[in-house]
Amino acid sequence: MLVIFGASGDLTRRKLFPALYALATRHMLPERFAVLGTARSPMSTDEFRKAMEEAVREHARVEFKQEVWDELVSATHYVPMEFEDDRAEDRVAEKLDELDKEHGTEGNRLYYLAVPPSAIATLVREIGERRATEGWARLIVEKPFGQDLASARRLNEEIRRHFDENEIFRIDHYLGKETVQNMLALRFANGIFEPLWSRQYVDHVQITVAESIGIEGRAAFYEQAGATRDVLQNHLLQLLALTAMEPPIDFDADAVRNEKSKVLRATEVDAVVRGQYGRGYVEGKDVPGYREEEGVDPESTTETFVAAKLRVDTWRWADTPFYIRTGKRLARRETTIAIQFKRVPQSLFTQSDGLRPNVLAIHVQPDEGVSLGIGAKVPGQGMTVRTVNMDFLYGGAFRTGLPEAYERLILDAMRGDPTLFTRADEIEEQWRIVDSIQARWSGQTPDFSNYEAGTWGPEAADELITREGRSWRRH
Amino acid sequence: MEAALSTAQQAEWTGRDVTIAEIERELAQLRSESMDLRTSMMTHLAWAPPEWQDASRETLAGLAELHPSRTILLFPQEGRRDALDADVAIECYSLPGLERHVCSEVIELRLHGSLANSPASVVLPLVLPDLPVFLRWRGHPAFGRPAFEQLVDVVDRLVVDSREWDDVPESYAELVPYFERVAISDIVWGRTLRWRRAIAGLWPGVRAATELHVRGPLPEAMLLRGWLASRLRREISLRHEAAEHVELLAIDGNEVVAREERTSASDLLSNELDRFSRDEVYERAMDAATA
């Protein structure tokens, strides 16, 4: 039984139900399966079903088939509930018992907490106190998981009062993306890359999570979070961990997460800059500055951009900088991990001003795939050498649509496989890094806005990297 | 070069009033249907006002073999409607004697209304990462106008053809200040190469040259005079007679014969796409031509 708390929200509509529908289309859902949605919104089961049908029709990546939907919708139910109302929680528990009998789900529960962070602790307590005695119980918790190290620790402690670590699935949907998982395949299924994957051959690493959109009506959340808590704390640091980790002894969840955790423990911030967008042009449209967005404080000092130089103090990566950046209203939407290799020790070719260092780029979105920039001779007389990009396009190589991250992650949670979920120690290390960034900014008043919408961030971000003789990748 | 390639297959998509995200999605879909490997050397932008659109497409047809790239054709449109229309295509060409294809991505964007004044923000999401960006500006550059100024700042090389201008040499003076912002090529400069080589072959007989006589287009005549003056560091007078191509070139009354063949429009552009850094000889010739 999948129990979605916050079922009337945007996440359920845009991601969770379309993912469930795609799984149903591929016959990946268990035979004995039901969904119970619950939220504050007063709604009947029929109204909820209708809303979810509209959501699936609008957002599912696969074609709508009535017979698939009919099967899924017959197992879909809804109960309205105030989260702090014990009696309402009792009603949900009774409904779950009733649905167990109807659908044969035997007390197995997957709780999906798609609720605001402030509601998580209360909900976990209420769920924990009503755990069924038979069957398994698992908990998927959406980000943000806490707002700093102290609150994340408190939340971990509260959850562990009721659930074991192997029952807790802290979701970072980036880990469900095929291309992120392909990073593991690229590194550990190919003999040619791993020997080069170290300080000896890598000059530096750049990880970019760029968005061209603004805050999309999420001012209340974003004003509190900013780019650092919204993206750097989770997506960026998880991508860094996957890039820098040692080979695990096997693909067991704990073996993988142990290695990621070691990387995060070894990660320190050398330098960091922040920014906030002003007015500008994005994709041909005149867009307002952050402080002009609805619901945003006109004097807001929330950062919509952050770039940092990190170091990973391990034998493999000592003195190899990791430059990371994320921001809103940047020139394009792009998530890429780029490994820039060292230059050849001596240039033999005089006509090589078009030659750049080798870069292996893992494109997470939008062009899922891997590209390698290599020097090649231009056909013809002479010896003109220039960089050519060879792109392996993930979507073109395999004749099947790439599953959405949530499809993979919901299915993994149903199976009890937490490999692609974040463990408590990882979360806490990520917050330690973020706290160290916030501490640098404490007491300073930034001079915002400092970058135009539609550009690649503030000048300070360029200075962060150019002062060391490097530059951000050309996008 | 055009004869070496023939279009083997083409996958297309057309959208009206679209977003960049839709273009990216459809491009990915077309790629997944037609190729799994892509080789790219650059992003090639072409800014083409309505009267230059057909010529732009024709010139591009011969570029795929030596310059596999993503091509983005920007067609500014008249009118008040703010919208972006797109034609996206994967064009694959068969290579003689080989079973494989060379595939190129071609994106035609029609910029309506205010989008024609903010083309950089439309182009930036679509350029290929880590590779140089070349801009072929068709017609007279819109010096000082938003579209031109924005695009100059996002490209590595600007390629113009001053034969397409109607106010040479006055406009040369407007182009010179841009040398400090972006590397610039003038295709006219490429057309003069066969004549410059012929003149250089006469060294040292041309050391004391004082007069250049050119029967041909004025831009070629101006750049040849500028080049000769900047190389010899002396004043060179120009006697010019208009003609469609350079038919006659003489120095101090002695005819110079160019033995090399004229180069096709595609090959001239192709040559410019092989250059990355500033062309100081050209820049000095321009300085002399505008002095």
Side-chain angles (χ1 to χ4, degrees):
Chain A
M1 179 93 60
L2 173 61
V3 188
I4 304 173
F5 292 92
S8 60
D10 214 34
L11 181 73
T12 309
R13 205 171 61 81
R14 285 176 171 269
K15 297 291 181 188
L16 302 187
F17 252 85
L20 287 173
Y21 173 77
L23 289 171
T25 305
R26 292 157 58 207
H27 308 290
M28 303 291 272
L29 293 176
E31 268 183 38
R32 287 172 291 164
F33 174 76
V35 187
L36 178 66
T38 179
R40 286 195 172 115
S41 309
M43 212 181 335
S44 68
T45 287
D46 280 346
E47 286 168 325
F48 181 65
R49 288 173 171 178
K50 194 165 183 301
M52 292 305 105
E53 180 178 340
E54 284 170 12
V56 166
R57 285 181 184 275
E58 188 178 352
H59 298 292
R61 70 177 177 89
V62 289
E63 189 188 347
F64 187 85
K65 289 180 181 165
Q66 193 62 49
E67 65 274 19
V68 176
W69 176 249
D70 287 346
E71 197 171 332
L72 180 60
V73 82
S74 67
T76 299
H77 307 269
Y78 183 83
V79 174
M81 186 193 88
E82 284 291 336
F83 293 135
E84 291 173 1
D85 179 350
D86 269 359
R87 282 179 303 178
E89 185 61 47
D90 287 340
R91 281 201 304 278
V92 170
E94 285 163 19
K95 183 71 177 176
L96 287 172
D97 289 341
E98 181 190 318
L99 293 175
D100 265 342
K101 289 175 189 140
E102 188 180 331
H103 294 280
T105 40
E106 298 178 347
N108 295 329
R109 304 272 189 272
L110 177 58
Y111 297 101
Y112 201 120
L113 307 190
V115 296
S118 57
I120 290 176
T122 308
L123 258 179
V124 167
R125 191 174 61 250
E126 289 177 346
I127 294 167
E129 287 167 355
R130 290 167 179 79
R131 276 189 72 151
T133 49
E134 58 180 25
W136 49 256
R138 294 173 194 139
L139 193 67
I140 300 180
V141 188
E142 268 290 338
K143 78 173 182 75
F145 194 94
Q147 57 181 3
D148 54 21
L149 178 56
S151 61
R153 279 183 174 153
R154 281 198 301 275
L155 190 51
N156 274 331
E157 283 166 17
E158 179 66 35
I159 294 175
R160 280 192 295 228
R161 283 200 190 102
H162 306 283
F163 293 87
D164 292 336
E165 182 62 39
N166 64 7
E167 295 174 320
I168 307 166
F169 293 74
R170 297 171 194 82
I171 200 165
D172 181 336
H173 73 268
Y174 260 56
L175 297 183
K177 289 179 181 289
E178 284 287 323
T179 35
V180 172
Q181 295 160 51
N182 197 36
M183 174 74 157
L184 295 172
L186 183 83
R187 287 192 58 193
F188 303 127
N190 296 288
I192 59 171
F193 294 119
E194 197 53 25
L196 306 178
W197 211 266
S198 74
R199 64 190 301 274
Q200 277 182 289
Y201 298 103
V202 174
D203 180 77
H204 71 277
V205 177
Q206 291 186 24
I207 306 176
T208 301
V209 177
E211 297 178 280
S212 56
I213 57 171
I215 54 172
E216 305 284 287
R218 297 192 306 150
F221 162 75
Y222 203 84
E223 277 281 87
Q224 298 300 313
T228 312
R229 291 187 175 98
D230 186 32
V231 176
L232 184 147
Q233 187 273 339
N234 35 73
H235 304 329
L236 268 176
L237 291 177
Q238 279 292 316
L239 294 178
L240 177 141
L242 286 166
T243 307
M245 67 189 266
E246 294 296 319
I249 56 167
D250 56 30
F251 206 57
D252 170 76
D254 270 337
V256 173
R257 298 194 293 181
N258 286 345
E259 298 306 332
K260 284 197 293 167
S261 182
K262 285 181 203 168
V263 170
L264 293 165
R265 276 170 55 199
T267 300
E268 298 293 340
V269 178
D270 267 357
V272 62
V273 301
R274 56 181 159 166
Q276 186 190 81
Y277 63 84
R279 295 186 74 85
Y281 285 89
V282 175
E283 298 181 5
K285 295 192 173 70
D286 186 7
V287 298
Y290 178 72
R291 289 175 175 179
E292 300 164 84
E293 301 269 16
E294 194 179 335
V296 170
D297 179 353
E299 302 293 318
S300 174
T301 56
T302 299
E303 82 284 359
T304 60
F305 176 95
V306 60
K309 178 192 172 195
L310 305 182
R311 63 173 202 275
V312 178
D313 291 332
T314 62
W315 273 49
R316 184 187 285 261
W317 294 115
D319 301 326
T320 308
F322 284 70
Y323 298 98
I324 63 175
R325 61 179 167 167
T326 183
K328 289 204 170 287
R329 287 289 189 219
L330 298 183
R332 69 191 291 172
R333 178 179 75 108
E334 180 181 317
T335 299
T336 314
I337 302 162
I339 316 295
Q340 183 159 321
F341 292 92
K342 292 182 175 172
R343 286 181 181 274
V344 291
Q346 185 186 7
S347 177
L348 300 178
F349 308 105
T350 51
Q351 291 176 302
S352 61
D353 54 352
L355 188 61
R356 299 170 188 218
N358 298 111
V359 174
L360 178 69
I362 294 100
H363 302 282
V364 177
Q365 62 183 18
D367 281 346
E368 292 94 342
V370 177
S371 69
L372 178 64
I374 58 169
K377 180 183 176 301
V378 176
Q381 288 184 317
M383 196 65 192
T384 302
V385 180
R386 62 189 288 184
T387 292
V388 178
N389 262 16
M390 296 197 319
D391 296 327
F392 162 73
L393 304 165
Y394 206 62
F398 300 102
R399 305 293 175 197
T400 177
L402 298 183
E404 281 283 326
Y406 280 93
E407 294 170 37
R408 170 67 191 254
L409 295 174
I410 290 171
L411 197 60
D412 279 2
M414 285 183 194
R415 289 173 172 156
D417 179 357
T419 308
L420 299 176
F421 293 83
T422 317
R423 208 168 55 187
D425 53 341
E426 293 176 77
I427 288 275
E428 291 179 11
E429 287 298 336
Q430 289 168 193
W431 278 120
R432 176 189 62 78
I433 294 163
V434 166
D435 280 4
S436 77
I437 291 172
Q438 298 289 350
R440 286 168 182 252
W441 293 339
S442 175
Q444 295 175 8
T445 306
D447 187 16
F448 286 162
S449 63
N450 59 355
Y451 71 95
E452 263 182 54
T455 66
W456 279 105
E459 279 181 22
D462 291 332
E463 289 159 14
L464 174 87
I465 191 167
T466 55
R467 67 184 172 219
E468 297 181 336
R470 302 183 175 96
S471 61
W472 292 109
R473 288 174 54 237
R474 174 65 181 267
H475 292 276
Chain B
M1 191 182 302
E2 290 90 333
L5 294 168
S6 61
T7 306
Q9 50 179 288
Q10 180 160 317
E12 293 176 313
W13 172 80
T14 296
R16 297 285 169 263
D17 202 0
V18 296
T19 63
I20 298 294
E22 284 175 90
I23 294 170
E24 285 175 339
R25 191 172 59 239
E26 295 302 329
L27 195 54
Q29 180 64 29
L30 293 178
R31 273 202 305 265
S32 72
E33 291 165 4
S34 54
M35 62 175 170
D36 52 8
L37 288 171
R38 176 180 64 189
T39 308
S40 315
M41 297 175 85
M42 68 178 133
T43 301
H44 178 194
L45 305 180
W47 175 271
E51 63 273 26
W52 292 104
Q53 291 177 9
D54 291 340
S56 286
R57 291 191 187 101
E58 284 168 22
T59 308
L60 291 171
L63 290 177
E65 189 175 17
L66 276 178
H67 298 94
S69 61
R70 173 177 287 182
T71 298
I72 304 173
L73 296 163
L74 299 167
F75 296 152
Q77 307 289 308
E78 300 284 334
R80 290 185 174 180
R81 179 175 73 104
D82 286 347
L84 179 65
D85 298 338
D87 291 324
V88 178
I90 306 283
E91 294 179 354
C92 295
Y93 301 88
S94 56
L95 296 174
L98 295 174
E99 289 184 2
R100 65 190 175 90
H101 296 139
V102 174
C103 295
S104 302
E105 299 163 322
V106 180
I107 303 169
E108 287 190 12
L109 299 175
R110 282 173 296 288
L111 308 169
H112 296 272
S114 64
L115 271 75
N117 287 322
S118 53
S121 69
V122 176
V123 159
L124 274 173
L126 295 171
V127 300
L128 292 171
D130 299 320
L131 291 173
V133 183
F134 288 72
L135 168 64
R136 170 72 171 99
W137 186 281
R138 299 304 300 241
H140 194 284
F143 298 119
R145 303 289 292 274
F148 185 74
E149 298 299 317
Q150 287 175 23
L151 288 175
V152 160
D153 286 337
V154 299
V155 303
D156 297 273
R157 189 166 207 95
L158 167 68
V159 182
V160 296
D161 184 345
S162 57
R163 257 201 205 174
E164 296 169 357
W165 311 355
D166 52 13
D167 57 352
V168 171
E170 290 77 10
S171 283
Y172 282 165
E174 290 186 87
L175 184 65
V176 167
Y178 289 88
F179 290 159
E180 297 304 320
R181 283 171 62 181
V182 64
I184 296 178
S185 293
D186 184 346
I187 286 175
V188 165
W189 180 246
R191 286 196 194 97
T192 64
L193 179 61
R194 57 200 283 262
W195 293 105
R196 284 184 279 131
R197 281 184 174 151
I199 294 169
L202 300 175
W203 183 266
V206 291
R207 182 160 39 191
T210 57
E211 187 209 63
L212 177 70
H213 176 197
V214 177
R215 187 187 305 145
L218 180 60
E220 271 93 326
M222 293 300 300
L223 283 181
L224 282 167
R225 185 188 70 85
W227 172 72
L228 199 54
S230 63
R231 295 295 93 190
L232 298 178
R233 297 193 182 126
R234 61 166 60 222
E235 284 292 315
I236 302 289
S237 62
L238 174 68
R239 185 151 70 93
H240 174 245
E241 297 171 74
E244 191 178 350
H245 300 287
V246 178
E247 296 170 355
L248 171 78
L249 188 143
I251 293 178
D252 293 338
N254 300 312
E255 185 174 352
V256 178
V257 178
R259 303 201 182 281
E260 296 173 44
E261 293 291 313
R262 274 208 296 267
T263 314
S264 73
S266 282
D267 286 353
L268 282 167
L269 179 56
S270 179
N271 292 340
E272 298 310 322
L273 300 182
D274 283 336
R275 299 180 202 282
F276 286 86
S277 49
R278 291 171 62 168
D279 183 344
E280 290 186 12
V281 177
Y282 162 68
E283 291 180 7
R284 295 293 77 76
M286 281 285 281
D287 286 339
T290 55

